[in-house]
Amino acid sequence: QKTVLGEDHPSTLFTMNDVANAVGAQGRYKESEELLRQCLEVQKTVLGEDHPSTLRTMSNVAKAVGAQGRHKEAEELLRQCLEVQKTLLGDTHPSTLLTMNNVANAVVRQGRYKEAEELLRQCLEVQKTVLGEDHPSTLFTMNDVANAVG
């Protein structure tokens, strides 16, 4: 793909993101993070910082960083994503809600349970309204609230 389309082509970047996620799924988080950060830098230049693919990659970097135990850094990346998503997609968009849930889980991993519970409850209320009480994302958030409360 790099040869035919070029390193900066959106399809190449999408594939690079997928390869990095596959590497991370094998437990090779450092290598995954490096690939994702390379992809992210190119996406910011080619697609822009607010492009959905750029935000997807930023979220994936946060996942790779968090998997290495760097939860504060993961939280910071996720909060950046969340702010852009709120502006572009709105507070009730499923992608925004998923990122809000991910922020809360990064907060839980830092032992800030009360703060995480508040974020998760906000997310849950919107999910119940937008997605419904039986939607899988709503049910996952319910579970996360229970875990945050302990």
Side-chain angles (χ1 to χ4, degrees), residues 86-138:
K86 282 182 176 181
T87 302
L88 293 178
L89 305 173
D91 292 344
T92 61
H93 190 279
S95 293
T96 304
L97 296 171
L98 175 61
T99 302
M100 182 184 283
N101 185 294
N102 289 340
V103 168
N105 283 311
V107 169
V108 163
R109 290 184 189 100
Q110 295 172 71
R112 296 172 11 229
Y113 300 105
K114 185 68 177 161
E115 181 183 348
E117 179 187 353
E118 291 170 11
L119 282 168
L120 288 165
R121 287 192 186 278
Q122 288 173 20
C123 184
L124 181 60
E125 290 312 308
V126 177
Q127 284 176 321
K128 284 180 179 178
T129 303
V130 175
L131 303 175
E133 292 194 14
D134 295 332
H135 189 278
S137 294
T138 306

